Amino acid sequence: MAAMLEFRTQGFNPYAVKYSPYHDSRIAVGTAANFGIVGNGRLFALALTAQGIQLEKTFDTNDAIYDLAWSEINENQLVAACGDGSLKLFDIGMREFPVMIFHEHNREAFAAAWNPVTKDTFISSSWDGTVKIWSPTRSFSLKTLPIGSCTYSASFCPSNPSLISAASSDSHLRIFDLRTPPDAKYHLAATVPVHAPPSFPGAVPAGSQPSEILTHDWNKYRDTVVATGGVDRSIRTFDIRNPNGGPLSIMQGHQYAVRRLTWSPHASDILISASYDMTVRLWNDASKQPQGPTAQTGAQLGIMNRHTEFVTGVDWCLFGAGGWVASAGWDEKVLLWDANLFMHSR
């Protein structure tokens, strides 16, 4: 069995785990009491040491923490997306209170992401059907992007600070371009109907009934490619330059909804996903195979099944040999492990 480090978030159920963009030895976990149904949240800052995973700091919130994002401008700061609709900016070097509170959403704030290019803004998405853009130095939002349905996931393009994406319960992935005039559809540049058949003749992917999209991520090497996952258990990749062209690839294998996915920072064709089926799965999206007129079938490379409850968070370490992953689930476990050791021998 592969070596694995474990930390227990006693009394709190994780919803998100993120490696620091500055240190391979620092991890943050956003959690909720009582599985996020009622009660407070707790943000854990963890340090990876020679003695294993050590608790560095905790911050308590009055409501569940559903997501978090490390600051790209201050290595000690991170923002938490909370069930009361607020975003709270914490500093690990400070006392237990937030440095700033941002509160405009009128439903649960479910996602947070920091701009990795200009580093001066972050975004949040909410069940209230909006994405908001924030500066860490102002308590009011800089801009609101209307989605119109529960928005589970929001992100920045990793190479273009003007492109923002949002995935929502209406089965669509939306791309906003802040360089366009705001009166032109509130910066909406493309809408990808994730479960629609391609607009050209060809095979229709099986099981393409519209369903909620819970997660998405931009490829770190091919900056027009986005992967989506959700309730229908399938992972799909799309090229945003051809929003109606159907998926580039489809990856199937999860038994329940895909809760979170993230592309590898080390390879252009590898991604990892976490699911309510209690597994984390490693995939190759088949993008290095010859492309045909219909969607490629991606391959499952490996499976990690050491969680005993819903797996709600997964993230890659940016540093090192290129396989370390953190996963977190409702079993109160944070696991650190090397994805390479779970790959099938080939």
Side-chain angles (χ1 to χ4, degrees), residues 141-166:
S141 63
L142 305 177
K143 196 178 288 284
T144 299
L145 304 173
I147 308 295
S149 60
C150 183
T151 307
Y152 293 114
S153 178
S155 189
F156 281 98
C157 173
S159 63
N160 187 329
S162 299
L163 294 182
I164 290 172
S165 54

Side-chain angles (χ1 to χ4, degrees), residues 63-326:
D63 212 319
I65 297 175
Y66 290 127
D67 199 15
L68 59 96
W70 285 95
S71 166
E72 293 279 353
I73 50 175
N74 185 325
E75 64 183 74
N76 290 315
Q77 293 188 351
L78 62 173
V79 65
C82 300
D84 62 1
S86 71
L87 289 301
K88 293 183 167 68
L89 184 69
F90 292 101
D91 191 309
I92 293 170
M94 309 279 282
R95 297 184 54 188
E96 61 269 25
F97 303 108
V99 182
M100 289 278 284
I101 298 176
F102 314 85
H103 200 166
E104 291 180 14
H105 289 300
N106 53 39
R107 292 287 310 277
E108 289 84 343
F110 211 66
W114 210 282
N115 191 322
V117 183
T118 57
K119 306 181 187 295
D120 56 350
T121 56
F122 66 91
I123 52 174
S124 60
S125 72
S126 168
W127 292 11
D128 68 9
T130 66
V131 170
K132 288 181 180 286
I133 306 171
W134 308 88
S135 161
T137 61
R138 300 182 185 182
S139 59
F140 52 89
S141 63
L142 305 177
K143 196 178 288 284
T144 299
L145 304 173
I147 308 295
S149 60
C150 183
T151 307
Y152 293 114
S153 178
S155 189
F156 281 98
C157 173
S159 63
N160 187 329
S162 299
L163 294 182
I164 290 172
S165 54
S168 53
S169 60
D170 68 356
S171 175
H172 286 77
L173 172 73
R174 290 173 174 81
I175 310 295
F176 296 89
D177 188 339
L178 302 181
R179 297 167 298 187
T180 61
D183 55 356
K185 299 185 180 176
Y186 286 98
H187 306 288
L188 184 64
T191 304
V192 179
V194 167
H195 298 93
S199 57
F200 55 81
V204 177
S208 286
Q209 294 302 312
S211 63
E212 296 191 316
I213 310 169
L214 303 178
T215 180
H216 78 290
D217 191 37
W218 294 77
N219 190 288
K220 311 298 189 289
Y221 295 89
R222 295 173 286 144
D223 61 5
T224 63
V225 174
V226 177
T228 65
V231 171
D232 75 346
R233 311 186 302 256
S234 299
I235 297 166
R236 295 173 175 82
T237 67
F238 296 90
D239 191 319
I240 63 169
R241 296 170 299 185
N242 187 14
N244 295 305
L248 301 174
S249 70
I250 301 176
M251 287 152 274
Q252 293 176 313
H254 278 298
Q255 304 299 306
Y256 291 104
V258 179
R259 177 62 182 81
R260 206 177 286 265
L261 59 79
T262 177
W263 287 98
S264 170
H266 309 287
S268 67
D269 56 347
I270 302 293
L271 66 161
I272 204 164
S273 57
S275 168
Y276 291 148
D277 68 8
M278 307 185 201
T279 69
V280 178
R281 297 178 193 235
L282 191 68
W283 307 89
N284 183 302
D285 74 343
S287 57
K288 292 183 178 175
Q289 309 296 325
Q291 298 293 308
T294 57
Q296 300 278 85
T297 301
Q300 181 176 301
L301 300 179
I303 182 169
M304 194 285 285
N305 55 6
R306 296 277 293 275
H307 284 286
T308 56
E309 255 294 353
F310 293 170
V311 190
T312 48
V314 67
D315 195 29
W316 295 90
C317 181
L318 293 173
F319 309 99
W324 280 92
V325 169

Side-chain angles (χ1 to χ4, degrees), residues 1-2 4 6 278 304-308 331 333 335 342:
M1 184 59 73
M4 190 172 287
E6 181 176 321
M278 307 185 201
M304 194 285 285
N305 55 6
R306 296 277 293 275
H307 284 286
T308 56
D331 52 7
K333 287 180 184 174
L335 300 179
F342 285 85

